[in-house]
Amino acid sequence: MPVFTRFHQSSRPGDDMPGDGATGPEAERDAEAATAAAEAERSGAGSRLARLRHWRTRHPRAARTLRLTTTALAAALILGALLLPNTLPALKAVSFARIPAEAVLGAVVVLALPRRPRLAAAVLYGLGLTALTTVNLLDMGFNEYLGRGFNAALDWDLLPDAQAYVRDTLGGGVATAAAVGAVVLVLLGAAVMVAAAVRLANVLARHRVRATKGALIAGTVWVTCSALGLTLSGGPIASERGAGALKVHAQRTVDSLRDEAAFVKQSKADTFGNTPPAELLPDLRGKDVIFTFIESYGRSAIEDPAMAPGVVRTLDTSTRVLEKAGFAARSGWLTSATYGGSSWLGHSTTMSGLWIDNQRRYRTVTAGDHLTLTKAFQKTGAWDTVGVMPGVQKGWPEEKWYGLDQLYDAFDLGYQGPKFSWSTMPDQYALEAFQRQVHGRKRDKPLMSFVILTSSHQPWAPLPKMVDWDELGDGSVFDAIEEAGNQASDVITDTTRSREEYGRSIQYSLTSLTQWLQRYGTDDTVLVFLGDHQPIARVSGNGAGRDVPVSIVAKDPKVLDKVADWNWTQGLKPDRDAPVWRMDSFRDRFLKAFGSTPRPS
């Protein structure tokens, strides 16, 4: 820095001008910059600050442009955070053409405060906007995949499951990078948002008179637009989006906490809690009963034009094949307690007769002794009860709550083939292993089985294909099929391909199950199978509902006679106008249909 060097060589304490004798405005700027730099170094502020100040003095036009640009970006960031919608369909340019009340109020507050309180208020404002942006982005993700908004009281428990899903689907490296990246983005976002709020607060304070007039004008326009109800593209010009979003989340949290307390009491009451074993399921004695859930098998698979043709064709074909084998079927609809994921909520709702639509309810009920439909079979002492769960890869204490004498998880079925994304093994193999290790063995009692099929779990790539049942072996036959399949990363981000592959996955699962029944079912086999929930909203579509198909299949006509008053559709495909029940009503209807006597606890 030549000027700085000359200053040190020629100036003396108390000198007002550089030692080279230069005069005029330029010399004055040089002297000011040199003095500021020297003082910064002596005080420990560092040469970097001195160079910045010197650059600003030497290049006033560029410095002014930089200041204006920085201020404009800070204002855009603040306004964007205040107006950010919480759903992807609403993420349009017109959504940001509003006047946010929170911006006007924020300006009024910082203009009224002295320096230190103003700085504190700006920091808190920036942190509040960070929280608002975070919950809006979480809302987008939850609406896109689970068809509902984020619940701050309940949904933090789902984040580890989300990470596990990413790890199983895209690999451990991607899962770790995503988790670390999310934390870094939140922290970085907080730093940037706070810096933007502080920047704007300082700018407003420096231009207090003009800023006060601007705030007054903006407030007047906001009040006028609000009073007249003026809108733009269907939305109010006078926006309270930020405060409204935080209010919704706060109310949602309060309601969830109240609901949890009420559910604890509800779960202790049971229509069949005191029914003696001899009075449970007398009309199914001697039957092998199998409850099977098909992952993501929802109403959209049967009625959405993008997926329905192949799935309906599979259902019609399977119905005819089973009829030739002597089986008959009845089908209806159940409204699931969950949507797009959290399959265990659908399983537990169906089996317990309680509406379990969140993780807190799930933990509450599984920690108690509420009678599940599967445990009712165990309680009679007339059945052996087993669970076949290829998706379980760690300890699963819920098996006791479900009333299972024995559990076969992903490591107990002898599979040596490849994983198919999240699914540990193809449904066809899981059913063959169930036959080989459980269903096909001689026993003293009939069998009640609880089977969860996973091949139709998102991201639906790669997908298994049917092979000859006699060639399944240890599952190595699927190596070439998995290798030739689609990559999960290619399908998961493509809505059209996701819908197509989802439909194919449902066809595969249905074919596996119905061929297994045709091959191994007996005169005493009773199969109940249903979906746990609809696929994610990106596949099922906005407003698709929560209905899932449910079917009962048996050879013995007396079994289906017991449910004749249900008015379900004949065959495996329920009619559009077939009865729709809430999923939590199924347990009591099933118990009563097959002779159980209600004796409430």
Side-chain angles (χ1 to χ4, degrees):
M1 296 172 58
V3 174
F4 181 75
T5 303
R6 290 199 301 273
F7 174 76
H8 266 294
Q9 289 175 346
S10 307
S11 62
R12 299 184 303 277
D15 286 350
D16 294 328
M17 301 294 290
D20 60 3
T23 60
E26 182 177 353
E28 291 179 3
R29 288 197 298 269
D30 291 346
E32 291 174 0
T35 302
E39 289 176 354
E41 283 195 338
R42 285 196 300 270
S43 65
S47 61
R48 187 173 301 174
L49 179 60
R51 287 197 297 269
L52 177 60
R53 289 176 176 174
H54 178 65
W55 178 85
R56 288 176 176 174
T57 304
R58 299 284 292 185
H59 306 281
R61 183 174 298 176
R64 176 179 172 78
T65 301
L66 179 61
R67 286 197 303 270
L68 292 176
T69 301
T70 303
T71 302
L73 290 175
L77 182 63
I78 297 295
L79 292 174
L82 289 172
L83 296 172
L84 181 69
N86 66 344
T87 61
L88 284 177
L91 194 60
K92 302 174 182 178
V94 71
S95 299
F96 299 93
R98 317 287 181 201
I99 303 174
E102 302 84 2
V104 178
L105 292 175
V108 171
V109 170
V110 299
L111 286 170
L113 293 175
R115 181 179 178 278
R116 289 187 178 179
R118 181 176 69 245
L119 178 62
V123 171
L124 291 175
Y125 194 81
L127 293 175
L129 289 179
T130 303
L132 174 62
T133 303
T134 301
V135 296
N136 278 333
L137 292 176
L138 286 170
D139 271 348
M140 284 187 191
F142 273 71
N143 279 306
E144 185 74 0
Y145 284 88
L146 301 182
R148 63 174 177 84
F150 172 72
N151 190 316
L154 305 174
D155 289 335
W156 298 112
D157 294 338
L158 297 181
L159 297 183
D161 293 304
Q163 184 182 16
Y165 164 70
V166 174
R167 182 181 63 246
D168 293 336
T169 302
L170 301 176
V174 175
T176 301
V180 173
V183 173
V184 170
L185 282 175
V186 171
L187 295 177
L188 181 62
V192 172
M193 200 71 75
V194 168
V198 171
R199 172 75 180 178
L200 288 182
N202 289 334
V203 169
L204 291 174
R206 283 200 302 269
H207 304 280
R208 189 177 301 273
V209 175
R210 282 184 290 176
T212 301
K213 292 180 180 179
L216 179 61
I217 293 171
T220 302
V221 173
W222 190 94
V223 170
T224 303
C225 292
S226 178
L228 297 177
L230 298 181
T231 62
L232 178 64
S233 297
I237 295 176
S239 169
E240 298 176 275
R241 172 78 188 88
L246 293 178
K247 180 180 178 181
V248 167
H249 278 277
Q251 188 61 50
R252 191 179 293 167
T253 300
V254 171
D255 291 344
S256 297
L257 295 176
R258 290 175 178 170
D259 172 78
E260 183 179 357
F263 182 73
V264 171
K265 297 180 180 179
Q266 179 186 353
S267 64
K268 293 179 180 179
D270 192 339
T271 307
F272 292 89
N274 285 330
T275 301
E279 296 180 15
L280 287 170
L281 300 161
D283 297 339
L284 281 176
R285 301 297 168 99
K287 302 295 184 185
D288 288 325
V289 182
I290 307 165
F291 295 99
T292 302
F293 283 88
I294 296 178
E295 170 67 36
S296 300
Y297 178 35
R299 187 164 191 151
S300 294
I302 295 178
E303 296 184 350
D304 191 297
M307 294 92 71
V311 174
V312 169
R313 186 166 53 249
T314 299
L315 289 171
D316 290 342
T317 300
S318 298
T319 298
R320 291 192 296 269
V321 168
L322 290 177
E323 286 176 349
K324 290 181 179 179
F327 289 94
R330 299 291 183 274
S331 300
W333 304 103
L334 298 178
T335 301
S336 178
T338 185
Y339 183 102
S342 302
S343 301
W344 56 92
L345 303 182
H347 305 161
S348 54
T349 295
T350 306
M351 294 295 113
S352 70
L354 295 170
W355 190 253
I356 305 174
D357 60 349
N358 61 65
Q359 190 67 9
R360 294 287 178 86
R361 283 190 166 212
Y362 180 76
R363 289 182 176 179
T364 297
V365 72
T366 55
D369 58 357
H370 193 89
L371 183 71
T372 61
L373 183 52
T374 43
K375 186 183 285 186
F377 283 85
Q378 182 191 54
K379 186 177 179 179
T380 66
W383 280 274
D384 291 331
T385 60
V386 300
V388 179
M389 303 201 171
V392 173
Q393 302 180 63
K394 57 184 178 181
W396 196 63
E398 290 91 332
E399 64 179 286
K400 180 179 179 181
W401 179 74
Y402 274 106
L404 303 177
D405 298 326
Q406 190 169 2
L407 176 70
Y408 294 83
D409 62 18
F411 307 107
D412 298 324
L413 298 174
Y415 184 66
Q416 300 299 317
K419 286 185 64 177
F420 284 79
S421 190
W422 184 89
S423 181
T424 59
M425 66 191 70
D427 291 347
Q428 186 185 10
Y429 178 89
L431 290 165
E432 177 65 22
F434 166 56
Q435 176 63 26
R436 182 175 61 249
Q437 296 179 228
V438 184
H439 185 262
R441 291 189 173 183
K442 292 183 178 180
R443 58 183 67 250
D444 297 330
K445 301 177 183 178
L447 185 68
M448 191 290 303
S449 307
F450 187 51
V451 181
I452 310 296
L453 300 180
T454 63
S455 287
S456 49
H457 194 289
Q458 61 175 308
W460 310 297
L463 289 179
K465 296 180 180 179
M466 296 297 297
V467 300
D468 191 297
W469 287 85
D470 295 327
E471 296 179 1
L472 284 169
D474 64 359
S476 300
V477 67
F478 290 102
D479 285 337
I481 297 174
E482 189 274 338
E483 186 175 349
N486 295 317
Q487 295 294 316
S489 57
D490 294 334
V491 173
I492 198 171
T493 57
D494 188 324
T495 298
T496 300
R497 293 190 67 185
S498 292
R499 291 162 69 87
E500 293 171 350
E501 297 306 310
Y502 162 72
R504 293 190 181 100
S505 74
I506 295 297
Q507 294 176 56
Y508 170 80
S509 295
L510 290 169
T511 301
S512 298
L513 181 59
T514 53
Q515 283 193 11
W516 177 89
L517 182 61
Q518 176 197 14
R519 185 178 177 91
Y520 298 116
T522 70
D523 292 346
D524 291 323
T525 301
V526 177
L527 172 65
V528 180
F529 74 92
L530 66 155
D532 45 22
H533 55 71
Q534 284 267 54
I536 58 176
R538 186 165 53 82
V539 170
S540 61
N542 294 322
R546 293 189 171 201
D547 294 349
V548 298
V550 56
S551 300
I552 296 181
V553 190
K555 277 190 176 181
D556 187 347
K558 294 180 181 178
V559 172
L560 297 183
D561 288 344
K562 295 292 182 179
V563 299
D565 61 348
W566 290 3
N567 297 316
W568 282 12
T569 306
Q570 292 189 13
L572 299 178
K573 175 185 171 297
D575 288 340
R576 181 181 293 270
D577 58 352
V580 181
W581 305 335
R582 277 175 40 129
M583 190 174 263
D584 57 344
S585 70
F586 181 78
R587 186 204 71 159
D588 286 7
R589 288 177 181 270
F590 189 92
L591 288 172
K592 291 175 182 178
F594 293 101
S596 304
T597 304
R599 297 192 185 278
S601 57

